[in-house]
Amino acid sequence: MATMQNGTAGIADGRAVSLRTTATAEAFAEARGISATTLDRLRVGSGTVWFRDLKAEREAIVFHYFAAGSSEPTFWKARPADGEKTFAALKGGKVSFYNLDAVLSGDLKVVHIVEGEFDTAALVEAGVPVDQVLSVPAGAREKREEGPDDSDVFRGYGYVKDALQAGLSNAEKFVFCGDADGPGRSLRQDMANILGAARFHFVDWPKGIKDANDFLIAEGPAALRQYVRDRAKPWPVDGLYRLSELPEPPTFEIWSPGFPEWESKVKLARGTLSVVTGHPGHGKTALWAQIWFQVVQEHDFPILVASFETRAKPHLRRTLRTLLTGRLEKDMDDAECAAADRWIEARYLWAVHPDGRPDLRWLLDRAEVAIVRHGARVIQIDPWNRVESHRDSRKETETEYIGRCLTEIYGFAQGMNAHVQILAHPAKMDGKVRGTAPQLEDISGSKHWDNRVDQGFVVHRKKMFDGGERCTEATLFHRKARFEELGHPCQLNLNFEMASRRYRSTDYDAGGYGR
């Protein structure tokens, strides 16, 4: 029997593992309600596999991924047959939906989508035809799951695009049977966006049931088959619905901005719209470049930055290099710069209009590609006044135009399940208010900047210079938080440390906790 290695060695003898299952593998599957007949129909095999997490070889149950019309696997994933919760996978293999070859060979009248190979087996065990079940290759994850070579094979949804081009686009109906948790609901929303609501249906599992395999173990194959057949609901599009027809929204994917001192005062979330304002030169771009860097570093997902006043090269690159290494760019050697650039390359996308005159439609089109193709979860537009206006001044006031734009952006953020942030300059402030921190309604053009967003921030420096010396103190005002999960209005004090070129929270310096 072939021995497979998870790591640099690959498959020891250069061939796929045996398509026969051992008694141990069959016993493991049987404990999850899966018969040997179902394993055989899905061409599940066995082998001795090296598991990096366990630092040992173990007998394993192996799920093969085949290209359409091919008898040779293009990819495999293995689970230890003793039940340990880890996996191994083929290094450098072509990642796709699991069981895609069988589905593409069927009539494509209905395609069920689950979140794991055992869930695929559960539906087949329940009597769903083997050519009607797909599994996403890595399930829904809060972070991307690393492959055996720490590659990016599980980032984004490129495998969905490949499958649609290979013929999956001809399917008449999709039924999503994914996990009943926050990541599963986010995946369901993404799949509905990509595959289209018109053909998309979904199953909500009963309370206490997480997925198809759970249901199979709890209720048996006949009950699972009937449940999936009878409880699939069409994805709502437009109109009036009963409460039972509405899918549960994704649980907010909450991110800390990277300052532990802020505790629950400020949080950021996927699927929301925020605006940042402040007087020119007060540090809006620099502070939020650091905050988003800290979020991306912690959660490891891509971000799209549409920066029209601060260039990606050399300015934002310099900032990110320094934030990543803790060293000023001028003190870094070529190797350090190259390593930092590789990190940036894997996580940052840049929207650059060829004529320097982007409009909102152009921006949202690029943002959609960044989200669907590359897995971006944050879109930042900096600044708003560099976005070309398509307002007809004879028919629409500036306030109406900005309200319309913000409504479209808000819908985009929710529909694409991404955080969209806009940096916008305030109108000129004269008289008594000159030099004070602006309000959201002071943003140039419309009071809609206050009422149409989920969160509003102001970056303000009380003094720029003191006796010729540069002042480095700054304040972030959290002016608005529509949802309690996002924190609450407060004032947070910072200091920009010149030596490290980064902001540090100072609310605890004197024993205080901010306001």
Side-chain angles (χ1 to χ4, degrees), residues 30 120 133 150 205-206 264 273 276 300 302 313 441 468 473 496:
E30 186 177 355
T120 303
V133 191
D150 194 23
W205 299 114
S264 60
L273 171 62
V276 179
D300 197 18
K313 291 182 177 180
E441 64 183 25
E473 296 82 6
F496 186 72

Side-chain angles (χ1 to χ4, degrees), residues 267 362 365 462:
K267 297 291 184 181
W362 182 91
D365 285 347
K462 190 173 183 179

